[in-house]
Amino acid sequence: MRDLGVGFGYLLKGQRWVARHGRQYGFGLLPGLITLVLYAAALVALALWGADAVSWATPFADDWGSPWQGLFRGFLTAVLFALGLLLAVLTFTAVTLLVGQPFYENLSETVDADVSPDGTAPRSGLPLWRELWISARDSLRVLVRAALWGVLLFALGFLPFVGQTVVPVIGFFVTGFFLTEELAAVALQRRGVELRARLTLFRSRKTLVWGFGTPLGLAFLVPFAAVFLMPGAVAGATLLARDLLGEESAADDPAAPGAPGGRPDTEDVTPRPRYSPSPSSRSSP
């Protein structure tokens, strides 16, 4: 359970980091604002025409008497909007990261260099078009996994009591897991860790991932919160990725350059991560 607090701590550290770096925060807001406008339009359309879609999909209820027809279709309309909202939360990060790839890539690199004992950040060495392709491909794969979970939770939502209590809780943990994957992918992709290896890492530290992503997923339900939290979420996910890979951070290394009693700044320091992706784990189009 300690990892839950550690994961939440990285979320807070990310927000504090961008608060100290106003320029990075300002640039990081732009992709979220663009994506927010698109998603708001889609959710408004779902709210306006969701009932019509449910009526079209349930012709067998046309002859039902009052109040059963209204209750049944009203319930399905509410579930449809809730599912749309869940998918919006799950995919908002992926779409925002895709739109803002250059912004968040730079932000993540800056965080890495800021906390690294030797002041450097890993780089993929790939051209921008290839990074965008890998990001879009992996985001689609994650979306398929998230959609399958969404369908399963939607079906379980019809179970009496369990569907109204346990299922929503599970849904938030699922959301938190996939949110963290999407955010940490910015840092992990630069290190050549492909999607399958990333998911293996996350499953090995699920409580850490939930501690970071589940509160963030809940916060994203607050109108406009996702836009303002995204830059800090990317920064925090970069710190979390370093933890998952066992990489030292300057704040955690008492012998880091510039620290009291530490190594001199001129000494060459090479981080020694406990995890190193094999050649087969390198991302490719």
Side-chain angles (χ1 to χ4, degrees):
M1 296 299 291
R2 175 181 174 275
D3 268 353
L4 284 173
V6 175
F8 184 66
Y10 283 130
L11 180 59
L12 296 180
K13 288 179 181 179
Q15 301 303 325
R16 287 198 296 265
W17 191 93
V18 295
R20 297 194 305 267
H21 299 76
R23 185 176 180 182
Q24 291 286 340
Y25 180 67
F27 282 121
L29 289 177
L30 296 177
L33 290 171
I34 295 171
T35 309
L36 177 65
V37 172
L38 298 176
Y39 272 68
L43 288 174
V44 168
L46 185 61
L48 292 176
W49 293 292
D52 293 337
V54 168
S55 297
W56 172 82
T58 57
F60 56 86
D62 287 344
D63 298 328
W64 290 11
S66 178
W68 305 115
Q69 182 193 82
L71 289 174
F72 175 71
R73 286 179 169 170
F75 172 73
L76 288 185
T77 301
V79 170
L80 177 63
F81 186 81
L83 181 60
L85 190 61
L86 175 63
L87 289 177
V89 171
L90 288 171
T91 59
F92 181 88
T93 302
V95 174
T96 303
L97 289 174
L98 187 61
V99 171
Q101 178 76 16
F103 298 98
Y104 295 134
E105 188 77 18
N106 180 264
L107 189 155
S108 180
E109 280 190 24
T110 305
V111 173
D112 260 325
D114 188 45
V115 302
S116 175
D118 63 353
T120 62
R123 296 194 177 188
S124 66
L126 300 175
L128 178 60
W129 70 266
R130 193 170 174 185
E131 289 183 349
L132 289 172
W133 161 252
I134 294 172
S135 179
R137 180 199 63 187
D138 289 350
S139 293
L140 181 60
R141 292 175 177 175
V142 170
L143 177 60
V144 170
R145 288 174 168 84
L148 291 175
W149 272 100
V151 171
L152 175 61
L153 294 174
F154 176 78
L156 293 176
F158 289 97
L159 296 176
F161 183 71
V162 175
Q164 294 75 47
T165 55
V166 178
V167 172
V169 174
I170 295 175
F172 281 118
F173 278 101
V174 170
T175 300
F177 183 90
F178 287 116
L179 270 178
T180 306
E181 194 288 323
E182 287 287 349
L183 290 163
V186 178
L188 293 173
Q189 185 177 308
R190 284 190 288 106
R191 291 162 166 81
V193 185
E194 69 167 11
L195 177 61
R196 184 172 298 179
R198 295 200 299 265
L199 292 175
T200 300
L201 275 175
F202 295 139
R203 292 187 187 110
S204 69
R205 301 280 301 278
K206 288 192 291 290
T207 52
L208 176 70
V209 172
W210 289 335
F212 181 91
T214 303
L216 185 63
L218 289 168
F220 275 13
L221 294 178
V222 178
F224 310 114
V227 175
F228 297 102
L229 294 178
M230 269 296 290
V234 172
T238 301
L239 299 174
L240 183 141
R242 296 180 65 88
D243 186 336
L244 287 172
L245 298 179
E247 296 179 2
E248 290 185 35
S249 295
D252 302 324
D253 182 7
R263 294 181 294 264
D265 292 344
T266 56
E267 182 180 346
D268 181 27
V269 182
T270 303
R272 293 176 175 81
R274 292 193 297 268
Y275 177 89
S276 178
S278 63
S280 61
S281 295
R282 302 292 297 183
S283 297
S284 58

